[in-house]
Amino acid sequence: MRTRLKKGDQVRIIAGKDKGKQGRILKIDRPSARLIVEGLNMVKKTQRPKNQNDKGGIIEIEALMRASNVMVICRKCGPTRIAAKLDDEKKIRICRKCGGAL
Ligand SMILES: [Zn+2]
């Protein structure tokens, strides 16, 4: 699946345990169409002790989620889908609902 989402986009989660929450895209893995949203879809990981004084422990990090589980947020209409439009030979991203640039 191809995604028109970009790093830095504000998105709303539409499926999964963080459904309804919003955040900013930190990273996109295009081959798998998965992405990381800041502070969302956190998973606990055990960290091994690095040395004798370090006990290790449990840390929380963001896990990849499917790009299809998020919607980009339009300033005018809220969560929306992205459409592409040619503008002076340049591809721009627009909101599918209001046609405004995203
Ligand atoms: Zn819109």
Side-chain angles (χ1 to χ4, degrees), residues 73-78 80 94-100 102:
I73 296 164
C74 167
R75 261 168 271 129
K76 258 197 237 164
C77 18
T80 187
I94 58 168
C95 167
R96 201 167 273 183
K97 284 184 193 163
C98 69
L102 287 171

Side-chain angles (χ1 to χ4, degrees), residues 86-102:
L86 277 176
D87 186 48
D88 285 335
E89 314 264 301
K90 215 182 120 214
K91 224 180 214 175
I92 57 162
R93 302 186 312 158
I94 58 168
C95 167
R96 201 167 273 183
K97 284 184 193 163
C98 69
L102 287 171

Side-chain angles (χ1 to χ4, degrees), residues 33-94:
R34 284 168 193 266
L35 45 83
I36 291 202
V37 181
E38 188 174 33
L40 296 178
N41 201 27
M42 303 299 285
V43 289
K44 288 191 172 73
K45 276 214 166 169
T46 13
Q47 200 167 41
R48 285 164 176 268
K50 287 186 203 76
N51 54 52
Q52 283 197 321
N53 301 323
D54 184 7
K55 289 193 207 76
I58 295 170
I59 51 159
E60 280 201 278
I61 59 156
E62 288 104 343
L64 286 162
M65 66 174 96
R66 286 168 180 276
S68 56
N69 284 357
V70 307
M71 282 179 97
V72 74
I73 296 164
C74 167
R75 261 168 271 129
K76 258 197 237 164
C77 18
T80 187
R81 300 217 172 262
I82 301 169
K85 195 179 100 175
L86 277 176
D87 186 48
D88 285 335
E89 314 264 301
K90 215 182 120 214
K91 224 180 214 175
I92 57 162
R93 302 186 312 158
I94 58 168

